[in-house]
Amino acid sequence: MRFTAAQSELAEATKWVERGLPRNPLYPVMMTMRFEALGGRLQITGWDGDTALRATVDADIETEGAALLPGTFLAGVVSGLRKNDVTIDCAKGSGVLTAPGVRVDIRPSDPGAWPTTPKAPAVAGVVDGKAFIKALLRVKPAAAKAAESQVNDLSGIGSVRLKASDGVLQLATTDRFRIAYATIPWEPQTELGDAFAVVSTDALEQARALAKGPVSLSLPTDGIGTAGIGGSGRQVVTKLTMPKSFPNIDRAELRQVVATTHIDAGELIDAIRTVSMVNTAITRPVWLRFDGQTVAVSATDLDSAEVRIDAELTGEQGALEIPFRGHFLTDGLSQVEGIARIDFSGPKSQAQITSPGDDSYRYIVLPIGDPSKATGAS
């Protein structure tokens, strides 16, 4: 294998792929990148056992072939070079990188040791890259890693559920105490029907580098197997979490609304953060006490604090007292610009945060069931 590529493109590609390499791999070969020079294009692949990152770069291919090269080392070397052409030549267990005034010997690994990396299913649809990343960031706060005791049953916690149907892609996350939904337009590319997948947030985070334009999503119809995200010469292919391990969040919809308030999201965030300063643990409650015209936001621990702001409460319940974890509320409110609508289903039942006139985001949060037992335990 022998190819020549522009330093800037090669550095950007190797740096991105290197981000996906495992830090403590079971097998040393997983610290390598697979370089394949074929048909005027160079494809670079990294693999951590669950997710494969692939970058494609234009290159002058003199000799086609493939080689496994040390990932972190090579990415560092290429990034440190001046902008110029870079040539890599590998043959019979030896390799060399050359550039004007530079020569670096490289020791390739055995190509036969490279594991079989996952392949993505057929492209199911296309979304706008910037809109996709924005939606991901809106729902990400409600994702949390599953505890070791939950791995077998709830390993889907910490992942994002992707559901595509009727021209809409919905992203949803949950940590069992709150649920976040965000939707964006979806342009289907197949006639297979709806698409569905539960994808780890870590894998989706890698897609930021390819979200400059349209992003193609390769999703299965049954949520089993792999998913692929592609765009801007990059592709992320990842194994999927089993659908049954993701909580059945659709059962958490508000069945009734007993009270509703429209409130300035920024004011409420500031009030919650102010009173939360007296709490000695993040799990201590922040109380919302509505009297119909205002809301008293308060917290009591070693000290106490209260901030009162205007908030008209309408509905069956003229007054309401309800305790939440403060950061649960601010995570949802921070995704709303201006006025937020909060629907309450009762003092001990879930509440829903939305933005009036914007149906692309919903955030459902449970109150603290027994505030007297809220301690430093998470």
Side-chain angles (χ1 to χ4, degrees):
M1 178 192 74
R2 180 182 171 88
F3 67 85
T4 300
Q7 180 274 339
S8 57
E9 294 185 18
L10 190 60
E12 184 179 350
T14 54
K15 184 177 180 180
W16 179 69
V17 173
E18 192 269 338
R19 286 174 48 191
L21 298 181
R23 299 307 170 201
N24 296 295
L26 293 176
Y27 305 102
V29 71
M30 297 181 72
M31 290 300 295
T32 66
M33 297 180 190
R34 185 176 189 272
F35 284 68
E36 183 178 25
L38 184 65
R41 303 282 281 178
L42 173 67
Q43 186 179 81
I44 306 169
T45 303
W47 164 241
D48 69 358
D50 291 312
T51 301
L53 303 187
R54 296 191 177 101
T56 303
V57 177
D58 289 327
D60 179 11
I61 309 299
E62 297 182 42
T63 305
E64 294 184 344
L68 302 185
L69 304 179
T72 301
F73 171 75
L74 188 62
V77 169
V78 175
S79 295
L81 297 175
R82 294 181 179 179
K83 290 186 178 181
N84 215 314
D85 286 344
V86 177
T87 298
I88 294 181
D89 188 0
C90 296
K92 297 181 179 180
S94 65
V96 62
L97 177 152
T98 56
V102 177
R103 174 190 170 95
V104 179
D105 291 327
I106 306 171
R107 181 176 297 178
S109 298
D110 177 12
W114 183 252
T116 301
T117 54
K119 295 183 179 180
V123 173
V126 175
V127 295
D128 178 78
K130 291 182 179 179
F132 179 72
I133 296 302
K134 180 180 178 180
L136 173 62
L137 295 177
R138 297 183 87 181
V139 302
K140 186 179 176 181
K145 295 291 186 182
E148 290 186 7
S149 60
Q150 300 171 341
V151 167
N152 291 333
D153 298 326
L154 295 174
S155 56
I157 290 179
S159 298
V160 180
R161 187 186 72 176
L162 304 178
K163 290 179 67 175
S165 63
D166 300 325
V168 173
L169 176 70
Q170 182 194 76
L171 294 79
T173 58
T174 184
D175 60 4
R176 295 182 303 148
F177 301 104
R178 54 215 174 123
I179 307 167
Y181 300 92
T183 58
I184 59 174
W186 162 264
E187 184 180 343
Q189 299 292 297
T190 67
E191 298 179 356
L192 299 177
D194 298 347
F196 169 74
V198 178
V199 185
S200 74
T201 53
D202 290 341
L204 291 177
E205 278 286 338
Q206 302 291 2
R208 290 202 194 194
L210 51 84
K212 299 175 183 177
V215 168
S216 63
L217 295 179
S218 303
L219 306 175
T221 58
D222 56 4
I224 297 175
T226 62
I229 310 168
S232 303
R234 306 283 188 268
Q235 185 185 44
V236 180
V237 182
T238 186
K239 294 179 180 178
L240 296 178
T241 303
M242 292 300 294
K244 290 184 178 180
S245 67
F246 191 83
N248 187 357
I249 58 177
D250 298 325
R251 296 185 302 180
E253 299 288 338
L254 273 67
R255 296 181 181 179
Q256 62 174 350
V257 175
V258 300
T260 297
T261 187
H262 290 78
I263 191 168
D264 186 284
E267 280 192 65
L268 185 53
I269 289 172
D270 289 343
I272 292 168
R273 288 175 176 168
T274 297
V275 303
S276 294
M277 294 178 67
V278 305
N279 283 338
T280 58
I282 197 172
T283 53
R284 293 288 297 165
V286 169
W287 285 87
L288 303 186
R289 293 184 170 92
F290 293 88
D291 60 13
Q293 299 301 317
T294 64
V295 58
V297 184
S298 63
T300 301
D301 202 338
L302 298 179
D303 296 299
S304 62
E306 179 180 293
V307 175
R308 187 175 294 272
I309 56 179
D310 292 336
E312 183 179 356
L313 191 71
T314 60
E316 302 174 12
Q317 208 151 339
L320 181 67
E321 294 187 2
I322 185 166
F324 293 96
R325 292 188 184 184
H327 70 287
F328 280 5
L329 287 178
T330 56
D331 282 347
L333 290 165
S334 63
Q335 304 304 324
V336 176
E337 295 183 4
I339 300 300
R341 170 175 175 155
I342 308 178
D343 294 315
F344 299 97
S345 56
K348 295 186 178 181
S349 302
Q350 62 266 43
Q352 178 174 272
I353 298 172
T354 56
S355 178
D358 177 13
D359 60 0
S360 67
Y361 178 75
R362 288 188 299 131
Y363 183 87
I364 297 173
V365 57
L366 287 171
I368 295 177
D370 189 348
S372 65
K373 295 182 179 180
T375 64
S378 58

